[in-house]
Amino acid sequence: METAFYIAAAVAVASTVLMLTRLNAVHALLYLIVSLLSVAVVFYTLGAPFVAALEVIIYAGAIMVLFVFVVMMLNLGPPAIEQERALLNPGIWTGPAVLALILVAEVAYLLVGAGVSPVPAMVGPKRVAIVLLGPYLVGVELASLLLLAALVGAWHLGLRVAAKEEKEEISHAYDTRGARPAAGRDLVRAGTDRNPGSP
Amino acid sequence: MFALGLTGILVRRNVIFVLMSIEVMLNAAGLAFVAAGAKWGQADGQVVFLFILAMAAAEVSVGLALVLQIYRRWQNLDADALSRMRG
């Protein structure tokens, strides 16, 4: 159990250092995901399986999906295609893949040999729930308030982006309409403003 | 040890990297809490980690929305110029 903890911690530190030295954001994201997964394994070896599962689900699942989505959104177009082609290059994903393989092997070893070396002082989800909803009830309510505020804030920012885009598009169409007829902008109404006599 | 190695890294690169560094720092703090909770066999460390998790999720959603907003507003700027105007 000790060696498993140290291996996972070493993987975490290594992947984090590699993440910080990457130039490309997508490569850094790969290393960051490996880092979060290794921290989850560290939690498991520390005897906190509930928190380890939450780490994988929320951090490596939800937050990383957000990051990947935004990074992919920020460079659309031909550079993105180049990047996709570069991502298939094996030199890029071997680093995270090797680190992740170390983690997978370690988890398999832990699950197989779980009965041999019991986790020291396992704190299960039940005790966590009892403490969470007992003395920390105010904290839970505050966290829900914080999440609500974040939801409203993110929605507001996204809404402003969408409204600005709409406005820019409309003004752009208005500018071009003065110079020449906006061709193909609205397929339904195309041709209805044409003179009947013209060909 | 882990948190110390990771906290010194915030001063890096562009906005996306700064957000990722913040994630790593929050993770290190949570790891310290869980390790302390495991050392004394208490569940409080995990409870605090749950709070950190909720806060990280909120922070990331707002931060990424801000990044999108910045990018849309100065669309013809690459990531380096974006990091320069961060200050």
Side-chain angles (χ1 to χ4, degrees):
Chain A
M1 196 54 76
E2 285 288 318
T3 58
F5 169 75
Y6 282 119
I7 289 173
V11 170
V13 172
S15 61
T16 309
V17 169
L18 282 173
M19 178 205 104
L20 285 172
T21 53
R22 292 306 99 177
L23 290 178
N24 199 331
V26 181
H27 306 166
L29 272 177
L30 286 180
Y31 280 111
L32 182 57
I33 293 173
V34 174
S35 167
L36 294 175
L37 289 179
S38 61
V39 171
V41 176
V42 168
F43 284 159
Y44 185 74
T45 58
L46 280 177
F50 177 56
V51 165
L54 275 184
E55 168 99 10
V56 170
I57 291 172
I58 296 180
Y59 259 120
I63 295 180
M64 283 308 112
V65 162
L66 269 182
F67 264 112
V68 169
F69 195 68
V70 167
V71 167
M72 293 292 176
M73 211 162 147
L74 286 190
N75 44 19
L76 285 177
I81 298 174
E82 286 296 318
Q83 200 172 20
E84 290 279 338
R85 197 166 292 137
L87 267 184
L88 295 179
N89 191 7
I92 289 171
W93 49 264
T94 37
V98 165
L99 290 177
L101 270 183
I102 293 176
L103 283 182
V104 166
E106 189 179 346
V107 168
Y109 167 73
L110 282 178
L111 288 182
V112 167
V116 180
S117 60
V119 178
M122 174 87 78
V123 179
K126 190 174 175 183
R127 282 186 56 194
V128 175
I130 289 174
V131 175
L132 179 64
L133 294 182
Y136 288 99
L137 192 57
V138 182
V140 174
E141 297 296 333
L142 285 179
S144 68
L145 264 183
L146 175 70
L147 282 179
L148 177 65
L151 174 67
V152 173
W155 175 74
H156 179 62
L157 288 172
L159 188 74
R160 263 197 313 193
V161 166
K164 192 190 307 297
E165 265 189 347
E166 188 96 0
K167 207 182 297 173
E168 277 175 0
E169 193 169 317
I170 288 175
S171 67
H172 183 67
Y174 190 72
D175 289 344
T176 55
R177 198 186 300 149
R180 57 180 178 80
R185 191 169 150 267
D186 196 343
L187 284 181
V188 180
R189 288 195 321 183
T192 56
D193 51 355
R194 192 191 302 169
N195 283 333
S198 68
Chain B
M1 49 158 189
F2 190 32
L4 269 186
L6 296 177
T7 315
I9 57 178
L10 183 63
V11 209
R12 302 292 294 193
R13 309 250 168 84
N14 63 37
V15 182
I16 296 271
F17 278 83
V18 168
L19 273 180
M20 286 198 271
S21 304
I22 289 174
E23 284 304 300
V24 170
M25 283 170 54
L26 285 174
N27 228 337
L31 178 62
F33 269 115
V34 173
K39 186 170 184 303
W40 285 287
Q42 296 292 318
D44 300 41
Q46 301 191 27
V47 170
V48 176
F49 179 75
L50 288 186
F51 291 151
I52 290 178
L53 201 65
M55 200 197 70
E59 172 261 332
V60 158
S61 61
V62 175
L64 285 180
L66 273 175
V67 165
L68 273 184
Q69 182 85 7
I70 289 172
Y71 187 76
R72 291 280 162 79
R73 186 163 293 181
W74 296 282
Q75 200 160 21
N76 47 2
L77 295 179
D78 56 351
D80 286 337
L82 204 75
S83 84
R84 199 178 60 236
M85 80 174 61
R86 168 172 53 94

